[in-house]
Amino acid sequence: CSRAKTRPMAHIHEKIDFTASVYIVKDGCVLLHKHKKLGIWLQPGGHVELDEDPVEAAKREAKEETGFDVELVGQSNPPAELYGHSRNLLLPMFLNRHNFDDTHEHIDFSYFGRVVGGELTPEGGVEMRWFTREEIEKNEIKLLDDTRSYALSALDYFAQQ
C-alpha cells in the first residue's frame, strides 16, 4: 500500500501514543503476525494518526498490514448521531496501556473484526499466519498474556455469532 510507505511510524507524542489494533477472525482462526521490531506474535495494528479516530486507524492498519478489508464488530453507545455535530464510535473490545519500550508507552484500542474483502498480502514480507484455538491455548509461540487472552476472546465472540 503506497500510503504505508509514505507515512512513517513516527511517534506523535514523546511519552504516550494512541494505537488501534484488530483481532481478525476467519473460519475459527485468528490472524497474528510476528512484529518486525519486537519479534513477538501480535495482532495487526499501529498508531492512530492525527487525522483519524481509532476505528478508522484499526481498519487502515488491518488493510496495510494484512491486505484485508475488515468489518469491526461490537457496539457503540446510542444514539449514533448526537446533536448533529458528533457521532458515537464503535467501542473497543479492550482498551489497555502498555510499555512499547523503556521510554515509550501505547494506549491501545483493541477491536475484533472479520474479513469482508481483499486477500492476505503481508506488509513487507512479515511472517503472518492463522492460529487455531488449540494453538493459542497451548501457547507454544509464547504469546503475551493479554494477546493470548484477547485472541481467545475474539474466537469466543465469533463462535457465538
Side-chain angles (χ1 to χ4, degrees):
C1 179
S2 61
R3 183 176 181 187
K5 292 176 180 145
T6 60
R7 295 178 78 162
M9 190 184 94
H11 294 288
I12 296 171
H13 303 285
E14 186 176 323
K15 174 76 175 136
I16 301 172
D17 274 318
F18 289 99
T19 59
S21 63
V22 58
Y23 289 85
I24 302 170
V25 175
K26 182 179 177 185
D27 300 326
C29 294
V30 63
L31 184 64
L32 300 175
H33 74 282
K34 197 157 195 180
H35 193 278
K36 56 190 167 204
K37 290 184 181 179
L38 302 175
I40 58 176
W41 289 94
L42 295 171
Q43 72 282 11
H47 289 103
V48 176
E49 301 292 341
L50 289 175
D51 62 345
E52 63 188 359
D53 64 47
V55 171
E56 294 166 335
K59 290 179 178 182
R60 176 185 52 77
E61 288 288 348
K63 181 67 172 178
E64 288 176 0
E65 292 187 4
T66 72
F68 288 131
D69 297 306
V70 297
E71 174 189 24
L72 302 182
V73 299
Q75 64 180 355
S76 62
N77 292 320
E81 296 293 327
L82 184 64
Y83 307 117
H85 64 272
S86 63
R87 62 188 164 91
N88 289 326
L89 300 176
L90 185 72
L91 298 173
M93 294 296 190
F94 296 97
L95 179 64
N96 71 61
R97 180 174 173 171
H98 60 270
N99 290 335
F100 178 78
D101 59 29
D102 293 339
T103 63
H104 193 74
E105 294 179 83
H106 288 161
I107 296 174
D108 188 53
F109 296 81
S110 297
Y111 296 93
F112 295 168
R114 67 170 59 89
V115 175
V116 294
E119 60 184 60
L120 184 60
T121 52
E123 179 183 42
V126 70
E127 189 176 357
M128 187 171 291
R129 63 179 278 249
W130 296 99
F131 288 90
T132 64
R133 166 176 289 287
E134 293 75 25
E135 290 172 310
I136 299 294
E137 287 173 343
K138 269 188 178 179
N139 202 19
E140 292 176 352
I141 57 171
K142 300 186 183 347
L143 293 173
L144 298 173
D145 290 341
D146 57 343
T147 304
R148 183 175 180 267
S149 174
Y150 298 174
L152 290 171
S153 292
L155 291 168
D156 288 343
Y157 180 90
F158 283 104
Q160 296 171 8
Q161 299 300 306

